């Protein structure tokens, strides 16, 4: 029942829905206004005015946008949990439902809200790309997109669940949300390609789980088009481009593939959720 | 006895919020727990409703230990908190339905429980309106309906009428009296309004974490306040005497028979009891 409550309360609060979509809308607006063109220029300079470059840039940037939506959607949903700490949680805690079950229902509720917000962002991105001439992903890629959405939401949710153990009150949470919402676009390599950043920042991006979500979305959305674009070019050209654009990451000689990133997201989700539970128990004591 | 408290203590670091209190509450009675702000009322209610753990001593509700059998205790109790805990964006019916879901009812039983609570609290005319759009009185009635949704044996009301206008307070009390008459429910009340406590079967006065007095309203008035006899005689003499009771005041007035121009007997009230018990100790300290 708390899952139903979380859905009703979140989606009836228009401000909450709007602000949890704020980062996503900003990225989308910046892409349409100028960032798309800025990011396409180096490719045009190299390949000339070849068809499909705009779709590749769109896939790269908007793939990152869906990863951002997975985190900000969960951030918005967990605001209910934070405000309940001071108010409604007393009410729930005087019911016979165990505290463990209550916590689990909050996490599940936030996951459902995050899933809906991320799917909405994905539909927006797919509609925009298809409308502008990008090929519609095949069934297998559709299934992979759905899989990545679910994994990203689970990881984003666990990450937020961990963070909120250290946040007291809605004001502090709003501040944390604003900071995360502002930084996530950079950390996921949406605004600036990862290859142009200093080595230390690249290292942070590589270990941040949501960057792997962005990489997975980018691989599904642009890999086939990239192979066509780089057809006939030396293989290391394509590999370097993929690394510089955050389509994949390298740890030493190891190039991370789709399933490696999926494993990073899964392990991160388990780790953050476990740590969150440990800290929550400590606080309750 | 539905509540039995023995030598209960709750410390917050060096502060003794509740300092070895013992009392009991009869099943089906209206029990008032009085004290100034910070006296230890909310801490005691917090322990009895399983929201707080005691430092030492024992508290039993319905024969169940609140520290060890919390989940079973929570099936027996309903709580109306000082502050609103329901969701402003949900309707009254939705709020009640979600709370009923916390008691493990089937869908049919949940619907019955919600309709029963709406009927008991007399809130059917605004059951489909959003909680956030209700007046203060309507909200309080809804809070009570929420506490009744699982037909508890014991209802805790923590300052339920604070901030309500006199007419709404009167209506709410009428509702509670009807409820107690119809269901035989035990009501555990904290209030700042002594005229509300005057209707109780038993009263406990707590001050600085310790019980200062307990008994029926009449018994407390006899022990901790006095009547005031004021006489003006025909020859201009003015007499003012504190008397243990109205009967004593009448006997004393006999001495002035034949020369009384004006006579007034002011009955002691529970306000006097409360002030004597709390201010008396303040001065003693």
């Amino acid at each position: 029942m708390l899952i139903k409550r979380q859905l009703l309360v979140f989606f009836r609060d228009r401000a909450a829905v709007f602000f949890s979509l704020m980062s996503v809308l900003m990225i989308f607006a910046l892409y349409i206004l100028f960032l798309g063109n800025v990011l396409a220029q180096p490719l045009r300079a190299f390949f000339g005015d070849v068809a499909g470059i705009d779709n590749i840039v769109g896939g790269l940037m908007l793939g990152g946008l869906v990863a951002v939506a997975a985190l900000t959607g969960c951030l918005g949903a967990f605001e209910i949990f934070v405000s309940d700490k001071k108010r409604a949680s007393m009410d729930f805690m005087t019911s016979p439902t165990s505290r463990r079950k209550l916590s689990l229902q909050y996490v599940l509720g936030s996951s459902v809200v995050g899933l809906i917000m991320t799917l909405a962002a994905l539909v927006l991105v797919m509609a925009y790309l298809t409308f502008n001439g990008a090929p519609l992903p095949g069934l297998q890629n559709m299934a992979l997109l759905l899989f990545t959405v679910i994994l990203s939401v689970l990881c984003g949710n666990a990450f937020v669940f961990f963070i909120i153990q250290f946040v007291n009150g809605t004001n502090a949470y709003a501040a944390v949300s604003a900071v995360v919402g502002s930084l996530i676009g950079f950390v996921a390599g949406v605004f600036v390609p990862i290859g142009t950043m200093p080595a230390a920042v690249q290292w942070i991006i590589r270990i941040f789980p949501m960057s792997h979500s962005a990489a997975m979305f980018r691989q599904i959305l642009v890999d086939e088009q990239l192979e066509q674009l780089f057809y006939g070019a030396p293989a290391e050209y394509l590999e370097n481009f993929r690394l510089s654009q955050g389509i994949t990451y390298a740890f030493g000689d190891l190039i991370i593939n789709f399933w490696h990133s999926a494993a990073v997201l899964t392990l991160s989700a388990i780790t953050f959720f476990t740590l969150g539970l440990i800290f929550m128990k400590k606080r309750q004591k | 006895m539905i509540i039995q408290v023995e030598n209960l203590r709750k410390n917050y670091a060096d502060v003794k919020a509740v300092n070895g209190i013992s009392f009991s509450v009869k099943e089906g009675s209206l029990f008032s727990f009085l004290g100034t702000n910070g006296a230890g009322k909310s801490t005691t209610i917090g322990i009895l409703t399983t929201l707080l753990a005691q430092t030492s001593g024992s508290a039993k509700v319905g024969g169940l230990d609140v520290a060890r059998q919390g989940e079973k205790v929570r099936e027996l109790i309903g709580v109306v908190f000082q502050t609103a805990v329901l969701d402003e964006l949900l309707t009254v019916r939705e709020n009640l339905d979600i709370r009923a879901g916390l008691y493990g009812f089937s869908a049919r039983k949940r619907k019955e429980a919600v309709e029963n609570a709406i009927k008991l609290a007399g809130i059917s005319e605004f059951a489909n309106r959003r909680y956030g759009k209700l007046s203060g009185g309507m909200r309080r009635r809804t809070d009570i309906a929420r506490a009744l949704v699982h037909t508890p044996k014991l209802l805790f009301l923590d300052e339920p009428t604070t901030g309500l206008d006199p007419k709404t307070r009167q209506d709410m009390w009428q509702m509670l009296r009807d409820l107690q008459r119809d269901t035989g429910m035990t009501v555990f009340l904290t209030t700042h309004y002594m005229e509300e406590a005057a209707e109780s079967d038993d009263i406990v006065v707590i001050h600085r974490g310790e019980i200062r007095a307990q008994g029926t309203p009449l018994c407390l008035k006899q022990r901790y306040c006095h009547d005031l006899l004021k006489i003006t005689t025909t020859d201009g003499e003015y007499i003012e005497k504190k008397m243990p009771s109205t009967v004593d005041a009448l006997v004393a007035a006999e001495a002035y028979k034949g020369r009384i121009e004006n006579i007034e007997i002011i009955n002691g009230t529970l306000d006097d009891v409360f002030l004597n018990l709390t201010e008396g100790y303040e001065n003693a300290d």
Side-chain angles (χ1 to χ4, degrees):
Chain A
M1 287 311 283
L2 284 188
I3 299 171
K4 180 183 168 187
R5 167 183 177 260
Q6 221 163 334
L7 287 171
L8 286 172
V9 171
F10 180 79
F11 285 107
R12 280 187 192 168
D13 186 351
R14 287 175 197 165
V17 174
F18 175 75
F19 284 110
S20 73
L21 280 174
M22 186 84 129
S23 303
V24 168
L25 294 173
M26 274 171 60
I27 293 169
F28 196 65
L30 290 175
Y31 168 74
I32 290 173
L33 289 174
F34 68 96
L35 259 182
N37 271 334
V38 170
L39 295 171
Q41 273 167 13
L43 279 176
R44 284 209 182 90
F46 190 79
F47 290 103
D49 205 6
V50 182
I53 285 182
D54 286 336
N55 292 335
I56 289 172
V57 171
L60 289 175
M61 194 167 167
L62 299 179
L65 177 148
V66 185
V68 168
L71 185 63
T72 55
C74 295
L75 265 174
F78 261 114
E79 195 186 339
I80 297 169
F81 176 79
V82 175
S83 64
D84 280 359
K85 273 188 191 174
K86 295 256 157 160
R87 211 175 49 92
S89 63
M90 288 192 301
D91 187 24
F92 302 142
M93 279 156 62
T94 55
S95 78
T97 305
S98 72
R99 296 183 187 176
R100 196 180 304 162
K101 269 191 194 165
L102 289 174
S103 301
L104 189 66
Q105 290 197 43
Y106 272 113
V107 174
L108 287 175
S110 301
S111 298
V112 176
V113 171
L115 196 62
I116 292 170
M117 300 299 280
T118 314
L119 284 173
L122 181 66
V123 168
L124 173 79
V125 165
M126 295 310 298
Y128 180 81
L129 292 176
T130 312
F131 184 74
N132 285 288
L136 204 65
L139 264 184
Q140 192 189 345
N141 276 353
M142 283 286 195
L144 286 175
L145 278 172
L146 194 62
F147 169 74
T148 310
V149 165
I150 292 169
L151 210 52
S152 305
V153 168
L154 289 178
C155 184
N157 209 38
F159 179 67
V160 179
F161 179 67
F162 170 70
I163 285 183
I164 57 169
Q165 305 310 324
F166 308 97
V167 176
N168 273 326
T170 47
N171 289 342
Y173 189 72
V176 169
S177 298
V179 171
V180 173
S182 309
L183 288 180
I184 183 69
F186 291 98
V187 179
V190 177
F191 297 129
V192 185
I194 178 173
T196 61
M197 295 187 189
V201 179
Q202 286 191 32
W203 188 82
I204 291 170
I205 291 174
R206 279 198 297 266
I207 62 162
F208 185 64
M210 298 315 284
S211 307
H212 289 267
S213 159
M216 289 167 75
F217 282 119
R218 288 175 184 138
Q219 285 171 39
I220 302 166
L221 291 173
V222 302
D223 257 357
E224 284 174 16
Q225 298 175 71
L226 277 178
E227 275 170 23
Q228 285 176 18
L229 186 68
F230 281 81
Y231 184 75
E236 63 264 29
Y237 279 33
L238 176 58
E239 204 54 61
N240 288 340
F241 182 79
R242 293 178 87 237
L243 285 169
S244 70
Q245 298 296 318
I247 302 169
T248 187
Y249 305 109
F251 287 94
D253 291 336
L254 177 69
I255 305 289
I256 299 293
N257 67 23
F258 183 87
W259 298 108
H260 289 142
S261 287
V264 169
L265 285 183
T266 309
L267 286 175
S268 302
I270 294 168
T271 308
F272 283 127
F273 189 65
T274 309
L275 287 173
L277 278 179
I278 291 169
F279 282 104
M280 190 172 77
K281 276 205 161 181
K282 269 191 178 179
R283 282 171 67 104
Q284 278 173 355
K285 274 182 188 173
Chain B
M1 294 293 172
I2 194 159
I3 296 178
Q4 280 177 301
V5 172
E6 290 288 335
N7 200 24
L8 191 70
R9 291 173 197 275
K10 174 71 183 173
N11 300 344
Y12 294 104
D14 295 338
V15 179
K16 292 174 179 171
V18 172
N19 192 14
I21 63 171
S22 301
F23 65 90
S24 53
V25 178
K26 277 182 246 147
E27 193 159 355
S29 66
L30 171 56
F31 177 87
S32 288
F33 198 54
L34 308 180
T36 51
N37 289 330
K41 302 190 297 287
S42 293
T43 302
T44 308
I45 286 197
I47 294 167
L48 292 174
T49 56
T50 76
L51 288 172
L52 293 172
Q54 69 259 43
T55 305
S56 65
S58 91
K60 286 183 179 174
V61 170
L64 302 164
D65 190 311
V66 293
R68 291 189 189 88
Q69 296 163 289
E71 281 183 26
K72 287 203 181 301
V73 167
R74 293 195 286 271
E75 285 174 11
L76 302 178
I77 62 169
V79 188
V80 178
F81 296 95
Q82 276 182 38
T83 50
V85 291
L86 298 181
D87 295 306
E88 299 202 344
L89 292 169
L90 304 188
T91 66
V92 168
R93 193 171 256 114
E94 284 168 341
N95 264 304
L96 298 181
D97 182 51
I98 280 161
R99 269 62 184 187
L102 297 169
Y103 293 85
F105 296 156
S106 65
R108 212 184 81 192
K109 177 103 193 279
R110 210 170 64 229
K111 197 169 177 230
E112 280 172 15
V114 169
E115 294 311 318
N116 187 44
I118 286 173
K119 194 176 144 200
L120 282 173
I123 57 172
S124 53
E125 64 190 272
F126 53 87
N128 291 322
R129 277 168 63 185
R130 282 195 183 179
Y131 181 74
K133 302 275 182 195
L134 302 179
S135 69
M138 288 169 166
R139 281 186 186 213
R140 228 56 190 122
R141 291 172 85 99
T142 307
D143 295 341
I144 292 171
R146 183 270 167 263
L148 298 175
V149 82
H150 56 297
T151 48
K153 286 177 83 173
L154 171 61
L155 181 66
F156 288 93
L157 297 158
D158 196 1
E159 296 178 19
T161 52
T162 302
L164 298 182
D165 63 72
K167 172 78 174 83
T168 311
R169 271 170 51 199
Q170 199 181 39
D171 289 349
M172 222 196 71
W173 270 103
Q174 188 56 50
M175 183 193 104
L176 285 170
R177 274 191 288 266
D178 293 348
L179 195 69
Q180 217 190 1
R181 187 195 60 222
D182 296 344
T183 63
M185 186 183 290
T186 310
V187 176
F188 185 109
L189 168 80
T190 75
T191 180
H192 283 142
Y193 300 108
M194 292 303 133
E195 69 270 24
E196 290 178 353
E199 301 197 24
S200 311
D201 298 306
D202 280 299
I203 293 175
V204 160
V205 180
I206 184 171
H207 188 60
R208 293 190 176 177
E210 291 174 2
I211 288 179
R212 299 303 198 205
Q214 51 190 319
T216 63
L218 183 65
C219 171
L220 290 182
K221 277 201 270 191
Q222 283 172 344
R223 277 162 61 192
Y224 297 104
C225 72
H226 44 73
D227 288 1
L228 194 63
L229 173 65
K230 291 179 180 178
I231 295 175
T232 310
T233 61
T234 47
D235 47 8
E237 191 185 355
Y238 175 73
I239 300 114
E240 189 176 296
K241 283 184 177 173
K242 287 179 183 174
M243 307 303 301
S245 70
T246 308
V247 175
D248 292 318
L250 289 170
V251 171
E254 278 290 315
Y256 300 94
K257 201 173 176 185
R259 57 189 194 99
I260 295 175
E261 187 177 293
N262 211 335
I263 182 166
E264 188 180 11
I265 300 169
I266 301 171
N267 292 125
T269 65
L270 273 181
D271 277 330
D272 300 326
V273 173
F274 186 75
L275 290 172
N276 283 336
L277 282 167
T278 54
E279 284 188 349
Y281 280 90
E282 298 277 357
N283 296 337
D285 291 339

